[in-house]
Structure formats: structure tokens, C-alpha cells
Amino acid sequence: MAIPSRSHPPDIPLELGEFTEVVLRGRLTAPDGGGRITARAERFIGHRLGMSRWILLTSHRLLVVAPFPREGDWFDVVWDRREVKASQGVKHGDVIRVQLTTPAGPQVLRVPAKVRSEVSRFIKALRR
């Protein structure tokens, strides 16, 4: 049985004065991490495989929502957005890949090509 996907992110607490700027549904992995085999397969076939996560770019931070968020344990990844840099996205089939430079090292964001406009907003927001 498949896990039902949600069409909007869960209601998560943000800091006072913080607002959501861009919302994406995709995968964020390190090129040399555990998801590298899946990333290669996705690049080869041009389709996303596996579960996606909510990725939120707020006015202060880049947040990756936990797969099954619980009270007090909302995010798997939290970075100050000033420390994250994005390169231009590259399309491979139905997937757009964006290389990110983060405090944890290089990361690859993979999102569906159908949200191209949101990916463009995400990249432009990180370049400001």
C-alpha cells in the first residue's frame, strides 16, 4: 500500500517574523551519500524514484520537513539560507537537478520538471 501524498506541506511552526517564500516537493541528497545510486538511476531513466519531501525556503532558513513530522521534531535539515548557494538547474527527462553548496557540503536537489517555475524562483531567491 502506497503512502498517500499531500498536496500542501503540513502546518509547521516558523520563527517569529519568518515567512515561507518557496515550497517544493523533491529530494535532497549528498552526491557521495546513501542516495547516490537512486540519483544515478533517476538521471538515467529521467524519472523520480522513491519518496519526496517538502522543501521550504523561508525568509531565514532552508528547511527539509521530516517524512513523518512529529511535534518538536519537524525538520531533518535546517540551514541558514545565507549559507546556501544554488547553481542553475539542469533538466534530465522529468527531473530537474539543482546543485547546492551548503554548510554540510555539496547537495543535489531533484524535483519534477513540472514545477519549473518554482525551481526558478528557488534558485533566484538563493542568489539574492
Side-chain angles (χ1 to χ4, degrees):
M1 182 169 130
I3 297 172
S5 65
R6 297 176 59 151
S7 61
H8 55 84
D11 294 327
I12 54 173
L14 298 176
E15 295 175 350
L16 186 62
E18 185 177 25
F19 60 91
T20 303
E21 204 170 320
V22 181
V23 178
L24 297 171
R25 185 120 171 118
R27 305 232 346 239
L28 184 70
T29 57
D32 57 350
R36 71 181 180 275
I37 294 170
T38 303
R40 284 185 183 166
E42 286 179 348
R43 186 174 181 176
F44 179 73
I45 64 172
H47 296 286
R48 284 184 315 138
L49 304 171
M51 282 182 50
S52 294
R53 309 279 279 292
W54 288 106
I55 298 166
L56 308 171
L57 183 63
T58 70
S59 55
H60 303 302
R61 305 177 289 174
L62 174 66
L63 308 167
V64 177
V65 179
F68 304 103
R70 296 183 307 251
E71 190 72 33
D73 189 21
W74 294 99
F75 311 112
D76 279 346
V77 176
V78 178
W79 289 311
D80 185 335
R81 76 179 272 168
R82 294 172 296 185
E83 297 176 351
V84 179
K85 304 294 180 222
S87 69
Q88 189 62 36
V90 177
K91 185 177 177 202
H92 295 280
D94 292 338
V95 179
I96 296 176
R97 297 176 66 235
V98 180
Q99 301 286 337
L100 300 177
T101 304
T102 69
Q107 302 285 321
V108 178
L109 173 63
R110 295 185 313 277
V111 294
K114 64 184 176 186
V115 294
R116 183 181 210 145
S117 61
E118 289 299 305
V119 174
S120 295
R121 286 184 54 218
F122 178 82
I123 293 168
K124 287 177 186 173
L126 285 176
R127 289 186 174 178
R128 281 189 260 148

